[in-house]
Amino acid sequence: MIYSIGQLSKETQCKVPTIRYYEEIGLLDKANRSEGNQRQYSSLQCQRLHFIRHSRALGFSLDEIKQLIHLQDCKYDEPHQAHHCEPNALNLAHQIAQEHLVDVRNKIKELKSLEKTLLKMINTCDNTDSTDCEILKSLNTIKAE
Amino acid sequence: MIYSIGQLSKETQCKVPTIRYYEEIGLLDKANRSEGNQRQYSSLQCQRLHFIRHSRALGFSLDEIKQLIHLQDCKYDEPHQAHHCEPNALNLAHQIAQEHLVDVRNKIKELKSLEKTLLKMINTCDNTDSTDCEILKSLNTIKAE
DNA sequence: CTTGAAGCTCTAGTCACTAGAGGTTTTATA
DNA sequence: TATAAAACCTCTAGTGACTAGAGCTTCAAG
């Protein structure tokens, strides 16, 4: 199966300019070109783009994804030979995921405290009586922690 | 009280280049200059920067903050005269805050589902036996909802 | 009076895309 | 087979909210 960039876009829910962008920054290998210079993709490249999109949806940065792809290549390329990959590549994947989990949890915490502050602000403001509103006042004093 | 940009920076915990940036985009009024062309700030401008930083800490965008500042000016400038401000400016502040609260809550929801997926991924991976790891595999298939 | 910190402007970089101009190739229909 | 529309191409520039650096000037302390 060979995909045009538009077909790949539909298949992976990834916009066409984004695919080209991923190629530009080296996240996707350079695509083969047709006689008319249009990009052609294999199922393997399609799978890789799926991987990238799933990882993005989980909030990994493109840099982290680059690392994960590198690990994947270590895993599947000549797995029983000595080469440039670190021996504990798989633990590294584990570590990246775990660090990311910590990030996510911190963000949740921050947002929850933010929610509380906003809610307080909004409830203090009695806008049925539209003569005054505490929101602007409170933004002068309330700190999010 | 008159502040130099560095003093204002300390007072508001806002970095010097950020203050200059806020001036550049019109979020802060252009500062007065000393004879030697250095910026000088009044307590009023200091208060405004506090407002901006508090709002940022609560996750408001600079655009939303611009609106809020405009509302503030409506409130305090000639409050009993007819001018260019909409009559229900205060309700508008209320509305901006409420919309923002909705955004924040959605983000929390997304991050929680993300947390769940990551946790599953990490737990599935038995990295005490370092022969295999499910993380890379699962990134090929798991979708965050 | 000198030295070092703090200030100035201007340009460019970050991240992860997105949009648009202006041109070429492919595909579908008449 | 001719043509028109859709899809593709490259290149540049823009987004938001800053941050970093070069190369200069001004200020404050000793």
Side-chain angles (χ1 to χ4, degrees):
Chain A
M1 176 72 186
I2 284 177
Y3 304 85
S4 72
I5 200 169
Q7 289 168 329
L8 187 67
S9 169
K10 256 186 205 151
E11 175 63 34
T12 58
Q13 308 282 48
C14 179
K15 289 186 187 167
V16 167
T18 305
I19 298 175
R20 289 198 275 247
Y21 169 71
Y22 287 163
E23 180 179 314
E24 194 189 313
I25 62 167
L27 197 55
L28 285 174
D29 289 341
K30 288 199 176 186
N32 290 335
R33 300 299 181 106
S34 71
E35 281 188 21
N37 196 34
Q38 304 202 342
R39 288 173 178 82
Q40 292 177 322
Y41 296 93
S42 65
S43 331
L44 196 72
Q45 285 181 296
C46 180
Q47 201 189 321
R48 172 139 298 180
L49 187 50
H50 269 303
F51 178 94
I52 294 171
R53 296 312 286 178
H54 292 156
S55 305
R56 284 294 295 136
L58 290 174
F60 289 95
S61 72
L62 295 187
D63 245 26
E64 287 170 327
I65 296 172
K66 251 184 211 172
Q67 285 185 67
L68 290 172
I69 285 178
H70 178 67
L71 299 181
Q72 259 189 336
D73 290 347
C74 287
K75 193 172 166 187
Y76 296 116
D77 298 354
E78 329 162 3
H80 299 299
Q81 289 183 244
H83 50 55
H84 60 289
C85 296
E86 316 78 44
N88 46 2
L90 301 177
N91 289 357
L92 202 53
H94 197 264
Q95 196 188 317
I96 291 172
Q98 223 147 24
E99 277 170 16
H100 185 54
L101 180 61
V102 171
D103 281 0
V104 166
R105 286 181 165 163
N106 283 340
K107 246 177 223 154
I108 291 174
K109 239 191 231 165
E110 278 171 34
L111 284 175
K112 274 188 182 165
S113 108
L114 215 154
E115 183 192 14
K116 229 168 85 184
T117 312
L118 277 172
L119 202 58
K120 200 162 42 179
M121 246 174 65
I122 291 170
N123 284 342
T124 316
C125 165
D126 178 9
N127 80 324
T128 55
D129 165 9
S130 73
T131 53
D132 206 0
C133 170
E134 294 293 314
I135 288 180
L136 297 175
K137 251 186 262 174
S138 62
L139 277 169
N140 275 311
T141 50
I142 291 178
K143 280 177 209 179
E145 70 242 45
Chain B
M1 176 72 187
I2 285 179
Y3 304 85
S4 71
I5 199 168
Q7 289 168 328
L8 187 66
S9 168
K10 256 186 206 150
E11 174 63 33
T12 58
Q13 307 281 49
C14 178
K15 290 187 184 165
V16 168
T18 305
I19 297 175
R20 288 197 277 247
Y21 170 71
Y22 287 163
E23 179 179 313
E24 194 190 315
I25 63 167
L27 197 55
L28 284 175
D29 289 341
K30 289 199 175 186
N32 290 335
R33 299 302 181 104
S34 71
E35 280 189 22
N37 196 35
Q38 305 202 343
R39 288 174 179 82
Q40 292 178 322
Y41 297 92
S42 65
S43 331
L44 196 72
Q45 285 181 296
C46 180
Q47 200 188 322
R48 171 138 299 180
L49 186 51
H50 269 304
F51 177 93
I52 294 170
R53 295 312 285 177
H54 292 157
S55 305
R56 284 293 297 135
L58 291 174
F60 289 95
S61 72
L62 295 187
D63 246 25
E64 287 170 327
I65 296 171
K66 252 184 210 173
Q67 284 185 68
L68 291 172
I69 285 178
H70 178 68
L71 299 181
Q72 259 190 335
D73 289 347
C74 288
K75 194 171 166 188
Y76 297 116
D77 296 355
E78 328 162 3
H80 300 299
Q81 288 184 244
H83 50 55
H84 60 291
C85 295
E86 315 77 45
N88 45 2
L90 301 177
N91 289 356
L92 201 53
H94 197 266
Q95 196 189 318
I96 291 172
Q98 222 148 23
E99 277 169 17
H100 185 54
L101 179 62
V102 170
D103 281 359
V104 166
R105 286 182 164 162
N106 283 340
K107 246 176 223 154
I108 291 174
K109 239 191 231 165
E110 277 170 36
L111 283 174
K112 274 189 182 165
S113 108
L114 216 154
E115 182 193 16
K116 228 168 85 184
T117 312
L118 277 171
L119 202 59
K120 200 162 42 179
M121 245 174 66
I122 289 170
N123 285 341
T124 316
C125 166
D126 179 8
N127 80 324
T128 55
D129 163 10
S130 73
T131 52
D132 206 1
C133 170
E134 294 293 314
I135 288 180
L136 298 174
K137 251 186 260 174
S138 62
L139 277 169
N140 274 310
T141 51
I142 291 179
K143 280 176 210 178
E145 69 242 44

